[in-house]
Amino acid sequence: MASEDITKLAESLAKTKVGGGQLSFKGQSLKLNTAEDAEEVIKQIEEFDGLEALCLEGNTVGVEAAKVIAKALEKKSELKRCHWSDMFTGRLRSEIPPALISLGDALVTAGAQLVELDLSDNAFGPDGVRGFEALLKSPTCYTLQELRLNNCGMGIGGGKVRLSALSHCLHRKSSAQGKPLALKIFVAGRNRLENDGATALAEAFGIIGTLEEVHMPQNGINHPGITALAQAFAINPLLKVINLNDNTFTEKGAVAMAETLKALRQIEVINFGDCLVRSKGAVAIADAVKEGLHKLKELNLSFCEIKRDAALTVAEAIEDKAELEKLDLNGNCLGEEGCEQLQEILEGFNMAAVLGSLSDDEGEEEDEDEEEEEDEEEEEEEEEEEEQQQLKERRQGEQESLTPKKIIESQDSTPVPSPPVDVATFLAFPSPEKLLRLGPKCSVLIAQQTDTSDVEKVVTTLLRISSVFKDEAPVKTAVHETTDALMRKAFTSATFNSDAFITSLLIHMGLLKSEEKIKAVPSLYGILMTLNHMVQQDYFPKSLAPVLSAFVTKPNRALDSCSFARHMLLQTLHQL
């Protein structure tokens, strides 16, 4: 290590916080690649008597450095809290499991009895979960009370692995030794768990029975997963906080959750914002609130497509909730008159101060046909099933389309020449094969032939390029290079309107309404993955990032079907 690097490291370590049994290297941006890089960190760990908490958040730890840090931890039997969030920035996913395994094995060797484990903001994905699965099953976690795995990209597979680990720990080991797992806080927001992952976790929650807080926002969970979680929550009578923000309840999920709320007596915080509970779901939740929940401090039903009468019912339900501090009904469909009525009701209870802002109210919608309203969710579910079936058929068709070519090749050894491809042909009928056949200069050709003074042409071209995105090196590289050439030319042009560009793009993605009838792209996967690359480039205006984040965060069925790509983009935007 160069002398200047050592000096920089020493300065960072001088900021290390020590106190109350905690050694913290939080936010020091240490790059610990080798054993040598980690020498000073190891020294402080070894010299810290009675180490109870170790914070490595905001640094980056490689495999080799993790091994030597682990060696130092093997003698720290008093360690109880591991604050290890955001400690693999810039690492390959393949590096994370072995690093976690080393650290976890060290805790087991030391005989530590963990109370808190925080691995949030480490994008290790489903495979990375296996890096700490053994730790969760070990005696070290029999005493675990807080497990924080927020924003880790675990996916459905990761959720199932956790279920296995938690159940294994509880039944086969901890209970047998008279130490049943008594987990109190579980955090796993922004993890692409979806219904299967949520259902798997629900089974584990039902076994545990000691939960006090559950935070699982932004996981693409629909009513089957919500219903499974509701049933599990009913078996956890100590629950105080339920945060399922930005999932999709619909009426079925909301009614199931409302039934569970009636059985819970300790609830203090309910966060179902951006969950599409709609009016019938809101009324069911209001009934649950009215019947009990006397310790309720916060109720969030914002941006849930709740109409005026249902919102007023919610307001009336909190009349005797003396401990309530916040009621959030923003972003619903009350209209000006409805907002006034809501405020009047709360003023009558002397509770006007608890009402949050209504600045984003969507306005009162016109009355819809009663029969249509009753069938609305059923129709949406049928559409979802049809879309999934169409996707399967399209994939099968793509595979079958290869067959004739194979037959021809087997019958005639003479290669069949591919027809020539130009930019116009690719943009008219885009495909990965055509993009590659444009050759190494495809990025330059497309950028040259696109009028970047015309925002609509830029958006259309970008969408067609991104539509052929595949997670295969040649295609992925071609899409990225072509996108870079096009967008660098556009954003560096003095006449290009960036705000108009992002507005048009959001409309074409179906994330923003337009007065004109513009058909949204059939799949958002390609453009989301392409945007994930774009926003990290120097040509992309950072001022557009908050706008993009706001719209990609909002509930949207098209986004739900591309939860992995959505998660990747949101994670990147969050880190900018």
Side-chain angles (χ1 to χ4, degrees):
M1 183 185 292
S3 59
E4 57 268 23
D5 292 332
I6 295 174
T7 301
K8 185 177 179 181
L9 178 61
E11 290 174 353
S12 294
L13 291 171
K15 302 174 185 176
T16 301
K17 296 180 181 179
V18 178
Q22 172 171 289
L23 177 61
S24 175
F25 299 93
K26 181 177 180 179
Q28 294 183 19
S29 301
L30 301 176
K31 295 181 180 179
L32 308 178
N33 298 316
T34 65
E36 186 182 3
D37 294 339
E39 281 180 358
E40 289 295 329
V41 173
I42 294 166
K43 182 181 177 183
Q44 295 212 33
I45 292 173
E46 290 176 339
E47 293 177 353
F48 197 115
D49 293 329
L51 180 64
E52 294 185 6
L54 176 63
C55 181
L56 296 173
E57 177 185 350
N59 300 289
T60 179
V61 182
V63 176
E64 187 180 339
K67 286 181 180 178
V68 292
I69 292 173
K71 195 69 178 175
L73 291 175
E74 287 180 356
K75 298 178 182 178
K76 300 299 176 181
S77 61
E78 296 179 19
L79 191 62
K80 292 181 174 62
R81 298 182 183 275
C82 295
H83 302 289
W84 294 350
S85 62
D86 189 20
M87 58 178 263
F88 295 113
T89 301
R91 299 289 170 186
L92 297 173
R93 284 194 178 184
S94 59
E95 294 181 83
I96 300 175
L100 286 174
I101 288 170
S102 295
L103 294 169
D105 288 350
L107 299 179
V108 176
T109 300
Q113 298 287 293
L114 290 186
V115 173
E116 179 180 0
L117 177 61
D118 186 354
L119 293 171
S120 299
D121 300 316
N122 290 311
F124 42 61
D127 293 337
V129 179
R130 304 182 191 282
F132 59 90
E133 182 182 4
L135 174 63
L136 286 183
K137 293 178 180 179
S138 74
T140 295
C141 287
Y142 289 177
T143 51
L144 197 63
Q145 295 180 15
E146 302 180 26
L147 180 57
R148 302 176 188 272
L149 301 167
N150 199 58
N151 191 30
C152 292
M154 287 178 289
I156 299 170
K160 290 183 176 179
V161 169
R162 282 201 314 255
L163 165 64
S164 173
L166 292 170
S167 300
H168 188 110
C169 177
L170 178 65
H171 280 298
R172 299 186 182 183
K173 295 185 176 181
S174 62
S175 293
Q177 294 192 17
K179 297 179 181 179
L181 181 66
L183 193 66
K184 294 182 180 179
I185 298 175
F186 180 80
V187 181
R190 299 176 68 182
N191 269 299
R192 301 185 288 110
L193 296 176
E194 301 181 14
N195 289 333
D196 287 348
T199 301
L201 281 171
E203 293 177 17
F205 294 163
I207 294 170
I208 294 168
T210 56
L211 289 167
E212 295 181 11
E213 295 186 21
V214 175
H215 302 262
M216 293 173 61
Q218 289 188 25
N219 271 300
I221 308 171
N222 299 325
H223 73 82
I226 296 297
T227 300
L229 288 172
Q231 293 168 349
F233 291 163
I235 311 172
N236 286 265
L238 302 178
L239 265 174
K240 296 179 181 178
V241 178
I242 302 177
N243 176 7
L244 294 174
N245 189 284
D246 198 5
N247 289 290
T248 307
F249 282 41
T250 64
E251 180 188 343
K252 290 182 180 180
V255 169
M257 194 61 70
E259 286 302 309
T260 287
L261 291 175
K262 292 178 182 179
L264 300 176
R265 295 288 179 265
Q266 306 300 319
I267 290 291
E268 296 178 3
V269 176
I270 297 172
N271 186 345
F272 297 159
D274 281 349
C275 283
L276 203 65
V277 303
R278 294 195 174 120
S279 295
K280 291 182 180 179
V283 170
I285 292 170
D287 289 343
V289 171
K290 190 170 185 177
E291 288 183 20
L293 306 187
H294 296 292
K295 296 184 179 182
L296 188 64
K297 294 181 179 179
E298 180 178 336
L299 176 59
N300 184 349
L301 294 175
S302 60
F303 299 94
C304 282
E305 294 191 4
I306 301 170
K307 296 182 181 178
R308 179 181 61 180
D309 290 347
L312 300 181
T313 301
V314 172
E316 291 167 351
I318 66 168
E319 179 177 4
D320 62 345
K321 310 306 169 195
E323 296 187 30
L324 191 72
E325 299 171 0
K326 184 177 180 181
L327 172 64
D328 192 345
L329 288 169
N330 197 19
N332 287 300
C333 309
L334 281 67
E336 185 176 347
E337 184 179 346
C339 289
E340 291 175 358
Q341 290 176 324
L342 181 64
Q343 291 168 334
E344 288 173 3
I345 289 173
L346 294 175
E347 286 171 0
F349 303 154
N350 197 27
M351 296 179 71
V354 306
L355 182 62
S357 170
L358 297 173
S359 60
D360 293 320
D361 185 74
E362 295 286 344
E364 190 170 11
E365 294 182 355
E366 295 180 5
D367 291 337
E368 297 178 354
D369 183 85
E370 187 175 336
E371 184 178 344
E372 287 181 0
E373 193 149 304
E374 288 176 358
D375 293 341
E376 187 177 37
E377 289 182 22
E378 185 178 343
E379 290 174 0
E380 286 182 356
E381 289 168 17
E382 288 176 357
E383 286 175 8
E384 284 179 10
E385 291 175 3
E386 286 177 8
E387 286 176 4
Q388 291 175 358
Q389 183 62 31
Q390 287 172 2
L391 182 59
K392 288 180 181 178
E393 291 173 356
R394 190 158 60 245
R395 286 174 178 167
Q396 289 173 354
E398 288 173 358
Q399 292 174 349
E400 290 170 0
S401 67
L402 299 176
T403 305
K405 184 179 177 182
K406 291 180 180 177
I407 293 172
I408 292 170
E409 288 176 351
S410 66
Q411 293 175 343
D412 185 356
S413 59
T414 305
V416 179
S418 299
V421 174
D422 56 20
V423 171
T425 303
F426 166 73
L427 292 177
F429 304 100
S431 72
E433 182 188 18
K434 288 175 186 170
L435 181 62
L436 294 177
R437 279 166 52 200
L438 280 171
K441 293 185 178 180
C442 63
S443 59
V444 177
L445 292 172
I446 291 176
Q448 286 177 343
Q449 296 184 37
T450 302
D451 180 5
T452 52
S453 65
D454 187 332
V455 168
E456 283 300 312
K457 284 186 179 178
V458 173
V459 170
T460 302
T461 303
L462 174 63
L463 289 170
R464 290 182 179 175
I465 294 168
S466 64
S467 70
V468 306
F469 179 90
K470 292 174 69 175
D471 200 15
E472 297 173 2
V475 178
K476 184 177 180 180
T477 300
V479 169
H480 285 174
E481 289 178 352
T482 308
T483 297
D484 289 341
L486 173 67
M487 298 314 302
R488 189 181 298 279
K489 178 185 175 184
F491 283 126
T492 55
S493 170
T495 59
F496 189 70
N497 189 327
S498 299
D499 292 335
F501 165 77
I502 198 69
T503 300
S504 177
L505 180 61
L506 291 169
I507 290 172
H508 281 275
M509 291 172 68
L511 305 183
L512 181 63
K513 292 180 180 179
S514 171
E515 293 180 1
E516 300 176 13
K517 279 194 173 184
I518 295 177
K519 188 176 180 181
V521 293
S523 171
L524 294 182
Y525 178 78
I527 185 59
L528 290 173
M529 294 300 287
T530 303
L531 283 170
N532 184 53
H533 168 78
M534 270 179 58
V535 299
Q536 300 178 64
Q537 308 311 308
D538 56 3
Y539 61 73
F540 186 81
K542 302 306 178 190
S543 60
L544 299 184
V547 179
L548 188 58
S549 179
F551 281 92
V552 176
T553 300
K554 285 186 176 182
N556 187 290
R557 287 178 53 205
L559 288 169
D560 289 342
S561 64
C562 304
S563 56
F564 171 73
R566 179 191 200 184
H567 168 79
M568 292 293 291
L569 176 56
L570 286 173
Q571 181 172 316
T572 300
L573 289 168
H574 179 70
Q575 293 173 353
L576 289 178

Short mmCIF file of all heavy atoms in Angstrom, two decimals, residues 2 104 209 409 520 552 561:
data_model
loop_
_atom_site.label_atom_id
_atom_site.label_comp_id
_atom_site.label_asym_id
_atom_site.label_seq_id
_atom_site.Cartn_x
_atom_site.Cartn_y
_atom_site.Cartn_z
N ALA A 2 0.59 2.19 -0.86
CA ALA A 2 1.38 3.41 -0.95
C ALA A 2 1.26 4.22 0.33
O ALA A 2 0.25 4.16 1.04
CB ALA A 2 0.92 4.23 -2.15
N GLY A 104 -19.53 -14.61 8.88
CA GLY A 104 -20.51 -15.40 9.64
C GLY A 104 -19.87 -16.54 10.39
O GLY A 104 -20.19 -16.79 11.56
N GLY A 209 -44.03 -15.95 15.70
CA GLY A 209 -45.06 -15.49 16.63
C GLY A 209 -44.68 -14.39 17.59
O GLY A 209 -45.47 -14.00 18.45
N GLU A 409 -30.59 -25.54 -42.53
CA GLU A 409 -29.15 -25.78 -42.42
C GLU A 409 -28.82 -27.26 -42.45
O GLU A 409 -27.79 -27.68 -42.96
CB GLU A 409 -28.62 -25.13 -41.14
CG GLU A 409 -28.60 -23.60 -41.23
CD GLU A 409 -28.17 -22.97 -39.93
OE1 GLU A 409 -28.05 -23.70 -38.92
OE2 GLU A 409 -27.95 -21.75 -39.91
N ALA A 520 -48.68 2.89 -24.86
CA ALA A 520 -47.48 2.62 -24.09
C ALA A 520 -46.76 1.39 -24.65
O ALA A 520 -47.37 0.52 -25.27
CB ALA A 520 -47.84 2.39 -22.62
N VAL A 552 -41.16 6.02 -11.18
CA VAL A 552 -40.89 4.58 -11.14
C VAL A 552 -41.26 4.00 -9.79
O VAL A 552 -41.55 2.81 -9.66
CB VAL A 552 -39.39 4.31 -11.46
CG1 VAL A 552 -39.06 2.83 -11.34
CG2 VAL A 552 -39.08 4.78 -12.88
N SER A 561 -44.75 -6.02 -13.33
CA SER A 561 -44.35 -7.18 -14.14
C SER A 561 -42.86 -7.16 -14.47
O SER A 561 -42.33 -8.12 -15.02
CB SER A 561 -45.16 -7.22 -15.45
OG SER A 561 -44.87 -6.09 -16.24
#
